[in-house]
């Protein structure tokens, strides 16, 4: 006796070798023996050749139309052999019954399985929906194949262009466009980016890098909702001296300004005045939520995306000719530039002038200050005093080093899609003046918060590691006992948060963010990650424009300096490093000549070949910051923080009672 049975979701046949009440031992055509349950047996038959049975049943099943079979059965549950008898009009043979079972099993849209050999016809509406879905899948498969074929010919299918950036950045893997792109990429062995490039879908590499950044950090666009700041409620006293600021010509978010006044006791009083947006951007308001979403102004060559709307910036920026709310620190010094006392206030300040660095630097620079040839210019006496005080502060921090090799910062100017890269000496008098003043107030205000047991957000650097923390900790890179970013509240959320805490201390009010505040820690964590991402984006765009400059100026050969890994070279006159393949083993600081090949604006790589070692002596390498982050944005000069890039400290390094990132 032979049996036709169901096993593992399919049908099989075998010869019965031994039968029991609940099971059979059967032998397949291949000779393999197995034990099966009697309940799985659908048919028993004799005489027919076992090897021919299943192929004949499958051939007969192919001739049965599922639609007609569905029409033959009623709405009730049925057994396959009963339907076979009705379909054929006579008692079916074993082959005919098996053919019906195979057809029922292969058409789950038409027939719902109810048990071993038992089925029920699908309701008409369900069947129509299932058939429509199957037809849709067929059409989609044809569309995928057609689009993949177009992509393989490097043609962009209709409707792809608006989806290009989404397909490259965060694709919907269930979309037809992604499946078409994936199929074509596998066929051509190309990455999606390179295939899109060959299809002409990326006309601008600049826009590609920009759009990737915007998709991740500004998915709703770079525009601002119409959210005015709250009016400053308190009547603020007016400072008794008029202030001036020092900024680049393109700066609109003017955070800081200075006053200088001779006191009756012969001492000098220096005022550092920081814009006070915290007085109008109240916690947990829509404008505050906007700040906590953006967290910082984004800078990159040729453009910037401000943290605050222009209307709000205009309300609080220290604009020439206006009287602005400010958080001020007054520093009393003697003629030896020793700090006698400090005092902080919340007040109004009249801004007399916005001095611009590029204009002022012609008069106020190392050479003119050394030989007295600086001539006449606005606030000359005040600037000279501030510079002398800044030099004294630098020495007091232990950071004055006249033997240090001169370093330069790079400025990028994009006009009509052409790039101009200029250099300026790092630590020039204007830069030193501003940065030392900001380091001083950030240190002092951090100490004030610490003394009052009010949490703030600090930058700490110990043992080469930089971290953000809510409690005071030394910043070894700057040589200060604590450092709380507080001097750029128009451009950084952290500074705005710290300003709120400082104002609460100065007004003897409860802090906006008490000790253990989850909001404070969350803001610190989010800022740290987002700010670093913004800096990485700025680095990528600067690298892009460096590559553009090489092509624009038809540079075919350029010198450089080998860095510590022996395979990377820092190019002369540019904030650009590149790997050089097949370069001989050379020591760090070795000066070499390179043959400049074609730049890849998408991967931001440069094809360079080693030419020769220069006869010039090796260069003494300074900190790694010169290798990777030689450019500081003009608006960042007031930060005062220049440090080598390091890994963030792990959370277990936080001291007891503080949070850190």
């Amino acid at each position: 006796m032979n049996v036709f049975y169901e096993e593992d979701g399919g049908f099989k046949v075998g010869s019965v070798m031994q039968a029991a009440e609940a099971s059979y031992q059967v032998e397949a055509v291949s000779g393999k023996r197995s034990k099966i349950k009697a309940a799985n047996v659908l048919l028993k038959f004799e005489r027919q050749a076992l090897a021919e049975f299943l192929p004949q049943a499958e051939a007969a099943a192919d001739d049965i139309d599922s639609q007609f079979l569905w029409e033959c059965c009623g709405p009730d549950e049925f057994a396959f052999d009963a339907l076979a008898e009705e379909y054929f009009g006579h008692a079916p043979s074993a082959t005919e019954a098996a053919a019906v079972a195979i057809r029922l099993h292969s058409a789950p849209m038409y027939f719902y399985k109810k048990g071993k050999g038992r089925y029920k016809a699908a309701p008409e509406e369900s069947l129509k929906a299932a058939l429509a879905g199957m037809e849709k899948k067929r059409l989609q498969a044809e569309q995928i194949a057609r689009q993949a074929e177009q992509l393989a010919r490097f043609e962009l299918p209709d409707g792809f262009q608006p989806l290009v950036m989404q397909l490259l950045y965060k694709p919907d893997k269930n979309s037809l466009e992604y499946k078409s792109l994936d199929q074509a990429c596998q066929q051509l062995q190309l990455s999606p980016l390179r295939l899109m490039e060959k299809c002409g879908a990326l006309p601008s590499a600049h826009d590609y890098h920009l759009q990737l950044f915007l998709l991740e950090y500004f998915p709703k666009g770079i525009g601002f909702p119409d959210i005015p700041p709250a009016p400053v409620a308190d009547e603020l006293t007016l400072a008794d001296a008029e202030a001036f600021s020092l900024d680049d010509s393109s700066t609109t978010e003017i955070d800081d300004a200075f006053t200088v006044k001779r006191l009756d006791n012969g001492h000098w009083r220096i005022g550092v005045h920081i814009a006070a947006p915290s007085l109008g951007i109240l916690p947990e308001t829509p404008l505050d939520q906007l700040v906590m979403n953006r967290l910082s102004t984004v800078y990159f060559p040729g453009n910037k995306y401000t943290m605050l709307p222009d209307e709000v910036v205009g309300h609080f920026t220290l604009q020439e000719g206006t009287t602005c709310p400010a958080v001020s620190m007054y520093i009393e010094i003697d003629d030896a530039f020793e700090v006698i006392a400090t005092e902080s206030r919340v007040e109004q300040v009249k801004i007399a002038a916005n001095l611009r660095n590029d204009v002022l630097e012609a008069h106020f620079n190392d050479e003119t200050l050394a030989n007295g040839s600086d001539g006449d210019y606005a606030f000359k006496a005040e600037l000279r005093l501030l510079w002398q005080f800044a030099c004294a502060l630098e020495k007091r921090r232990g950071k004055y080093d006249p033997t240090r090799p001169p370093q330069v910062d790079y400025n990028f100017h994009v006009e009509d899609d052409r790039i101009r890269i200029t250099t300026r000496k790092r630590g020039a008098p204007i830069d030193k003046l501003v940065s030392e003043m900001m380091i001083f107030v950030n240190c002092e205000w951090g100490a004030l918060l610490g003394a009052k047991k009010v949490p703030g957000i600090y930058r700490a650097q110990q043992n080469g590691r930089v971290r953000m923390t809510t409690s005071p900790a030394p910043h070894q890179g700057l040589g200060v006992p604590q450092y709380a970013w507080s001097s750029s509240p128009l451009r950084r959320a952290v500074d705005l948060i710290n300003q709120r805490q400082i104002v609460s201390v100065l007004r003897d009010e409860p802090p906006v963010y008490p000790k253990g505040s989850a909001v404070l820690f969350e803001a610190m964590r989010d800022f740290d990650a987002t700010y670093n991402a913004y800096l990485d984006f700025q680095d990528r765009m600067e690298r892009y424009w460096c590559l553009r400059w090489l092509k624009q100026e038809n540079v075919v050969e350029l010198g450089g300096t080998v860095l510590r890994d022996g395979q990377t070279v820092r190019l002369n006159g540019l904030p650009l490093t590149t790997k050089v393949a097949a370069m001989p083993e050379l020591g760090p600081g070795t000066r070499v000549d390179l043959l400049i090949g074609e730049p890849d604006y998408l991967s931001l790589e440069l094809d360079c070949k080693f030419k020769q070692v220069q006869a010039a002596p090796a260069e003494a390498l300074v900190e790694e910051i010169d290798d990777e982050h030689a450019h500081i944005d003009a608006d960042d000069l007031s930060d005062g923080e220049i440090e080598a890039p390091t890994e963030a400290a792990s959370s277990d390094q936080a001291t007891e009672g503080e949070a850190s990132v």
Side-chain angles (χ1 to χ4, degrees):
M1 182 175 64
N2 302 322
V3 291
F4 173 73
Y5 63 96
E6 186 176 353
E7 186 178 71
D8 298 331
F11 297 111
K12 298 180 181 180
V13 293
S15 298
V16 177
M17 306 302 295
Q18 185 175 350
E21 183 176 350
S23 63
Y24 294 95
Q25 186 176 17
V26 299
E27 183 180 73
V29 176
S30 63
K32 179 183 177 181
R33 295 188 177 186
S34 59
K35 185 177 183 180
I36 65 172
K37 293 180 180 179
N40 290 345
V41 174
L42 301 179
L43 288 172
K44 299 177 183 177
F45 59 95
E46 299 177 351
R47 294 186 299 276
Q48 189 166 347
L50 189 64
E52 300 173 355
F53 181 83
L54 204 54
Q56 290 176 357
E58 290 173 345
D62 291 339
D63 294 334
I64 299 175
D65 181 69
S66 298
Q67 178 69 31
F68 180 71
L69 195 63
W70 177 81
E71 294 172 356
C72 291
C73 60
D76 299 328
E77 183 179 323
F78 58 87
F80 78 96
D81 49 355
L83 181 61
E85 183 174 353
E86 183 175 350
Y87 178 80
F88 288 106
H90 58 78
S93 66
T95 303
E96 290 173 335
V100 171
I102 292 171
R103 173 50 66 199
L104 291 170
H105 188 76
S106 65
M109 287 189 300
Y110 287 87
F111 307 101
Y112 299 158
K113 189 174 182 182
K114 294 297 182 179
K116 295 294 182 181
R118 299 192 63 79
Y119 297 85
K120 184 177 181 180
E124 184 175 0
E125 292 302 319
S126 299
L127 178 60
K128 287 181 178 179
L131 291 174
M134 185 173 66
E135 178 64 12
K136 181 180 178 181
K137 288 183 179 180
R138 184 187 68 79
L139 294 175
Q140 288 177 342
E142 291 180 357
Q143 181 179 344
I144 291 171
R146 184 170 60 253
Q147 291 177 340
E149 185 179 344
Q150 286 182 269
L151 290 168
R153 298 196 303 266
F154 304 132
E155 299 173 3
L156 195 66
D158 293 339
F160 260 65
Q161 190 62 57
L163 303 174
V164 168
M165 297 309 300
Q166 180 182 342
L167 287 169
L168 294 176
Y169 167 62
K170 192 179 288 184
D172 176 4
K173 295 188 177 182
N174 292 319
S175 68
L176 302 185
E177 290 80 9
Y178 173 80
K179 293 177 180 179
S180 302
L181 178 62
D182 183 60
Q183 184 173 316
C185 288
Q186 292 186 28
Q187 178 183 341
L188 299 174
Q189 293 298 297
L190 289 174
S191 69
L193 176 60
R194 293 305 178 188
L195 179 52
M196 286 298 187
E197 179 187 23
K198 289 182 177 294
C199 291
L202 302 171
S204 167
H206 175 278
D207 290 348
Y208 163 72
H209 294 294
L210 178 59
Q211 291 302 318
L212 280 187
F213 171 75
L214 293 179
L215 280 171
E216 182 168 3
Y217 292 97
F218 295 86
K220 296 181 180 180
I222 59 174
F224 291 97
D226 185 14
I227 310 175
V232 178
D234 300 330
E235 289 291 334
L236 302 176
T237 58
L238 181 64
D240 60 2
E242 295 189 354
F244 62 91
S245 66
L246 297 168
D247 289 282
D248 187 76
S249 293
S250 62
T251 301
T252 57
E253 303 150 291
I254 303 174
D255 293 289
D256 50 82
F258 308 96
T259 56
V260 177
K261 183 179 179 179
R262 189 73 159 182
L263 300 177
D264 294 340
N265 61 4
H267 293 167
W268 292 97
R269 189 195 70 185
I270 294 173
V272 181
H273 310 280
I274 305 300
S278 64
L279 302 181
I281 303 176
L282 305 182
E284 299 182 0
T285 61
L287 191 53
D288 178 61
Q289 293 172 5
L290 187 150
V291 169
M292 296 309 161
N293 284 332
R294 294 214 171 193
L295 294 169
S296 171
T297 291
V298 183
Y299 294 97
F300 58 101
N303 205 349
K304 67 178 179 180
Y305 301 136
T306 58
M307 180 179 75
L308 293 169
D310 290 343
E311 178 187 355
V312 178
V313 171
H315 197 81
F316 293 103
T317 188
L318 304 183
Q319 182 64 40
E320 177 179 311
T322 63
T323 299
C324 308
V327 179
S328 303
M329 178 179 289
Y330 290 101
I331 311 160
E332 183 180 345
I333 61 173
D334 59 19
D335 288 338
F337 302 106
E338 291 292 333
V339 176
I340 305 302
T342 63
E343 178 190 3
S344 296
R345 306 174 190 166
V346 182
E347 60 184 3
Q348 293 187 89
V349 179
K350 176 68 179 294
I351 308 301
N354 295 141
L355 305 183
R356 298 302 182 176
N357 298 341
D358 47 347
V359 177
L360 180 61
E361 200 160 35
H363 305 282
F364 192 73
N365 56 60
D366 283 321
E367 183 178 347
T368 58
L369 288 172
N371 59 29
S373 62
D374 47 342
D376 291 327
Y377 48 90
F379 298 94
K380 176 179 178 178
E382 291 88 343
L383 287 167
R384 274 185 165 270
L385 180 74
L386 288 172
W387 176 65
Q388 291 172 316
F389 181 45
C391 292
L393 290 176
E394 182 184 42
K395 292 177 181 178
R396 203 165 295 144
R397 292 190 300 113
K399 297 303 176 180
Y400 176 69
D401 183 6
T403 65
R404 181 182 176 88
Q407 300 169 258
V408 296
D409 295 326
Y410 295 87
N411 294 319
F412 291 74
H413 311 274
V414 181
E415 300 172 0
D416 299 327
D417 204 38
R418 289 184 62 82
I419 179 65
R420 181 167 54 91
I421 303 175
T422 60
T423 60
R424 64 195 309 271
K425 179 183 176 183
R426 181 178 296 177
I430 295 176
D431 304 346
K432 182 180 294 188
L433 185 161
V434 175
S435 64
E436 289 297 334
M437 293 298 105
M438 297 309 114
I439 291 173
F440 184 86
V441 298
N442 287 334
C443 174
E444 290 298 309
W445 276 331
L448 174 66
L449 294 178
K452 297 295 184 178
K453 307 297 183 184
V454 173
I457 298 179
Y458 296 82
R459 295 273 290 183
Q461 185 185 39
Q462 294 174 286
N463 301 322
R465 290 182 174 269
V466 176
R467 63 189 174 112
M468 301 189 76
T469 172
T470 56
S471 296
H475 194 302
Q476 294 175 341
L478 294 176
V480 293
Q482 65 279 317
Y483 186 74
W485 263 345
S486 312
S487 54
S488 298
L490 294 174
R491 301 187 292 114
R492 287 191 301 243
V494 163
D495 300 59
L496 179 66
I497 289 171
N498 282 339
Q499 187 178 88
R500 287 171 175 166
Q501 301 294 80
I502 294 166
V503 169
S504 69
V505 170
L506 298 180
R507 291 179 166 177
D508 198 23
E509 297 173 347
V512 176
Y513 308 99
K515 187 174 182 180
S517 169
V519 175
L520 184 69
F521 178 75
E522 183 179 350
M524 178 180 68
R525 180 198 61 199
D526 292 346
F527 176 85
D528 190 57
T530 302
Y531 191 69
N532 287 329
Y534 289 177
L535 292 178
D536 288 343
F537 169 67
Q538 181 179 350
D539 287 345
R540 289 200 307 274
M541 298 311 292
E542 290 179 358
R543 186 173 180 86
Y544 165 82
W545 283 111
C546 286
L547 297 178
R548 283 284 303 272
W549 183 88
L550 290 171
K551 195 68 174 178
Q552 171 185 295
E553 303 300 322
N554 297 316
V555 177
V556 296
E557 184 176 328
L558 194 62
T561 303
V562 179
L563 300 184
R564 288 181 175 85
D565 65 357
Q567 294 297 318
T568 304
V569 174
R570 181 183 61 217
L571 301 184
N572 292 343
L574 292 173
L576 181 65
T577 62
T578 183
K579 294 282 187 181
V580 180
M583 188 168 66
E585 188 173 337
L586 299 171
T590 304
R591 301 176 187 269
V592 296
D593 289 324
L594 302 177
L595 298 176
I596 306 299
E598 287 296 317
D600 187 330
Y601 299 125
L602 292 178
S603 67
L604 300 179
E605 297 297 331
L606 179 64
D607 180 24
C608 287
K609 294 182 180 179
F610 172 78
K611 181 180 180 183
Q612 63 187 14
V613 175
Q614 294 180 3
E619 176 183 341
L621 294 180
V622 292
E623 297 178 35
E624 284 296 328
I625 186 170
D626 304 317
D627 301 339
E628 298 181 7
H629 296 280
H631 170 63
I632 300 176
D633 192 276
D635 277 5
D636 282 336
L637 291 173
S638 61
D639 297 347
E641 181 174 10
I642 301 174
E643 59 190 26
T646 56
E647 298 178 5
S650 59
S651 58
D652 59 3
Q653 290 178 295
T655 58
E656 184 177 357
E658 74 175 51
S660 70
V661 175

